[in-house]
Amino acid sequence: MDLSSSTLCPQNLTKPYFISFHKQPHIRSHLQFQTPPKTLTLDPKFTITGGCKLSGHVPISGSKNSALSILAATLCCSGTSKLHGVPNLSDTRTMASILRSLGAEIEACNGEMWVNADGVGSVEPCPEDIGKIRGGFFVIGPLLARFGEAVVALPGGCDIGTRPVDLYIRGLRALGAIVELGDGKVRAQAANGRGLVGGRFKLDHPSVGATETLMMAACMADGVTVLSNVAKEPEVIDLARFLTGSGACVEGAGSDTLYIKGKNQLHGSECVVPPDRIEAGTFMLAAAITRSSISMSPVIPSHVACLIDKLLAAGCKITCAHDTLEVSAVPDDVGHNLQGFDVRTCPFPGFPTDLQPQTMVLLTTCDGSSIVEETVFENRMGHVRELQKLGARIRVCGSTAVICGKEKGSALLSSHVVAKDLRGGVSLVLAGLAAEGVTEISGIAHIDRGYENLDAKLRLLGADIKRLIPLASPL
Ligand code: EPU
């Protein structure tokens, strides 16, 4: 099969496909944040020939989840906000589309984004877009704070649990809003007809999205708000930093209590979206799974401290210098096979749920049995069935998985598997890198939601991964 050709009809595929290679090494995308062409809505696939060692350096993109909440926060600001390092992902494009549906003006180029929300004239964002991503729902906070009113459809996002919005609703009520849920929409209005008022609210669970939404709402509420048992994730700190730079008064970000003094008006500001800790963690695990050595930057080591501890315990070598992190699992370096370990996902600073599926793949290649317990989302084991198709020996009971490793190297074999959510989907890519033979992964639109140029970055490191894009049917 001639893989150098730009058009190709693999014999084992029924529809025509072409292989797309992003230009390298210019990984940073030059695409505008616009609705992708129709062909991309057809189901593209990855094919991965496993067994290649990875080497070299990979650039880490800006954090998806920080970018989503900061983009929502631009709705609080008058004038223009300028964001650097916004990853070009289908999720960030959807968020841009949500802001545009409200009347915001957005320009984007090479990871930079200018948002001006002065012309916002609607309090009801496009429900179809809100239904695509969880982060879209966060706009309810800024809209309610600035206009005293919001009508927002229930959010979408990965199918990893019921993902209710009760904490958002109860928190907004504590700030003086009347909130009703009906017809798949949340309707919220400031009770006194003027605006939100500061209040106290304790979250039952340190929800990241509810913390961020309430923080944005409280920044423009009248008086002081105290939010307790809040999320301590780095993305919450990133959002607080943007809001503070825009004139808000937020204290306590990164601790379990936030103190917010409301301001009448916030102004646009400039900020850099920090590196994506989950993307960095995914590449760290890719190095370990393929028994390779790679470096990556920029990385904030404290954001991936839990994973560093686990990889060191497994036997990997890790070095950090400034914002560059190097992971080696090369047998010559580590001298033995990696040792399995147990994982229990928890809110930050615990082990991130967003690295659970990828870590499970590593554990299938390590010595001994390991236990993975998912405590954040009640239904985040959907990837296990697909990993089993690749020969992984994993048993699941409720939210706990027992993984049987193997004595030496990879136990994984190739097959055709389907990505059903973002992190589960990327775990299949990591498994494909280590599996014997050619693994075909469909459903990769889920992966494109959260990884910027994943296949191009992996090729840069020496992986044999191709993106097959179905050709559009003639009209
Ligand atoms: N929860 C409630 N009620 C609520 C809100 C949350 O019961 O009102 C529960 C959820 O059902 C879940 C738990 O709280 O069991 C944690 O959910 P959380 O609200 O913290 O998650 P999120 O805000 O919906 C964000 C990220 C997720 C990440 C989680 C946990 C965004 C857009 N999403 O989701 O990212 O897994 O925090 O860290 O910020 C991903 O990137 O793949 C992803 C899923």
Side-chain angles (χ1 to χ4, degrees):
M1 197 179 283
D2 176 15
L3 297 182
S4 62
S5 165
S6 63
T7 56
L8 180 86
C9 299
Q11 285 152 349
N12 57 343
L13 299 172
T14 50
K15 282 198 251 162
Y17 278 76
F18 72 88
I19 294 185
S20 152
F21 294 96
H22 291 276
K23 277 190 182 152
Q24 292 179 27
H26 304 293
I27 293 297
R28 281 269 184 217
S29 173
H30 290 242
L31 297 174
Q32 295 286 324
F33 280 68
Q34 282 167 0
T35 313
K38 264 222 159 90
T39 45
L40 296 181
T41 63
L42 299 174
D43 186 20
K45 297 177 182 185
F46 283 147
T47 59
I48 303 170
T49 304
C52 294
K53 293 288 175 200
L54 305 182
S55 62
H57 183 87
V58 65
I60 300 299
S61 298
S63 160
K64 165 181 82 85
N65 290 340
S66 295
L68 291 177
S69 59
I70 292 171
L71 282 169
T74 62
L75 287 174
C76 295
C77 304
S78 60
T80 301
S81 301
K82 183 174 179 186
L83 315 184
H84 302 264
V86 180
N88 189 354
L89 305 166
S90 59
D91 271 18
T92 48
R93 289 192 295 269
T94 301
M95 192 59 157
S97 172
I98 287 169
L99 300 185
R100 283 195 183 105
S101 75
L102 292 164
E105 284 179 20
I106 300 181
E107 282 181 39
C109 187
N110 296 341
E112 297 196 343
M113 229 188 208
W114 293 260
V115 185
N116 187 311
D118 288 344
V120 167
S122 164
V123 292
E124 182 164 3
C126 168
E128 286 76 30
D129 281 341
I130 296 286
K132 288 181 193 161
I133 59 172
R134 181 77 175 173
F137 191 74
F138 303 171
V139 300
I140 195 169
L143 286 176
L144 190 54
R146 196 169 146 197
F147 302 104
E149 207 185 345
V151 181
V152 185
L154 287 171
C158 288
D159 185 10
I160 50 182
T162 50
R163 308 189 79 180
V165 291
D166 57 311
L167 295 174
Y168 299 66
I169 292 177
R170 284 169 44 215
L172 292 173
R173 283 184 181 144
L175 299 183
I178 298 170
V179 190
E180 283 167 13
L181 175 59
D183 300 332
K185 287 180 181 173
V186 178
R187 291 179 171 76
Q189 216 168 6
N192 61 10
R194 291 204 312 276
L196 296 177
V197 285
R200 299 183 82 88
F201 183 68
K202 180 175 181 189
L203 285 79
D204 299 341
H205 175 89
S207 153
V208 175
T211 299
E212 294 175 341
T213 301
L214 297 176
M215 190 199 304
M216 291 186 268
C219 277
M220 294 183 81
D222 185 17
V224 175
T225 297
V226 181
L227 302 172
S228 49
N229 195 29
V230 295
K232 296 182 266 200
E233 266 68 2
E235 295 76 23
V236 172
I237 302 175
D238 298 341
L239 175 63
R241 199 170 286 142
F242 172 75
L243 288 165
T244 308
S246 302
C249 185
V250 180
E251 281 179 21
S255 77
D256 56 15
T257 306
L258 286 171
Y259 301 88
I260 302 155
K261 189 162 183 283
K263 293 277 180 78
N264 285 339
Q265 208 180 15
L266 305 187
H267 53 80
S269 64
E270 193 164 350
C271 87
V272 179
V273 178
D276 195 307
R277 63 191 172 104
I278 303 301
E279 189 197 19
T282 302
F283 279 107
M284 291 165 70
L285 286 158
I289 288 164
T290 56
R291 304 297 191 268
S292 301
S293 175
I294 64 170
S295 63
M296 62 200 77
S297 69
V299 179
I300 300 174
S302 59
H303 289 184
V304 286
C306 254
L307 181 61
I308 290 177
D309 288 349
K310 293 291 183 188
L311 291 181
L312 288 173
C316 294
K317 283 193 173 164
I318 299 183
T319 51
C320 305
H322 307 294
D323 66 352
T324 300
L325 194 131
E326 199 170 333
V327 178
S328 176
V330 175
D332 284 350
D333 275 358
V334 300
H336 49 79
N337 193 27
L338 299 182
Q339 187 62 46
F341 50 87
D342 295 341
V343 165
R344 184 169 195 270
T345 66
C346 282
F348 192 83
F351 196 92
T353 172
D354 292 344
L355 287 174
Q356 178 261 102
Q358 305 91 309
T359 304
M360 208 180 269
V361 176
L362 171 63
L363 295 172
T364 67
T365 71
C366 292
D367 283 348
S369 295
S370 310
I371 295 173
V372 169
E373 196 188 344
E374 172 60 51
T375 75
V376 178
F377 291 106
E378 70 275 20
N379 190 23
R380 204 169 205 178
M381 290 287 168
H383 48 283
V384 169
R385 237 182 114 215
E386 301 304 302
L387 290 175
Q388 286 166 340
K389 288 187 201 162
L390 297 175
R393 290 179 300 156
I394 305 175
R395 274 182 295 116
V396 175
C397 180
S399 287
T400 301
V402 179
I403 298 108
C404 291
K406 71 165 300 215
E407 290 301 305
K408 285 254 181 297
S410 168
L412 299 169
L413 303 166
S414 56
S415 183
H416 176 197
V417 286
V418 183
K420 300 197 170 137
D421 64 74
L422 167 56
R423 309 301 173 186
V426 84
S427 79
L428 303 177
V429 172
L430 299 192
L433 294 175
E436 283 170 25
V438 180
T439 299
E440 188 179 303
I441 304 171
S442 50
I444 64 171
H446 290 291
I447 301 171
D448 290 337
R449 290 184 47 194
Y451 288 91
E452 190 177 45
N453 295 328
L454 176 70
D455 45 326
K457 289 185 181 184
L458 285 170
R459 279 194 294 278
L460 188 72
L461 295 172
D464 187 346
I465 175 169
K466 295 173 189 73
R467 177 182 290 257
L468 308 179
I469 301 176
L471 295 176
S473 319
L475 292 172

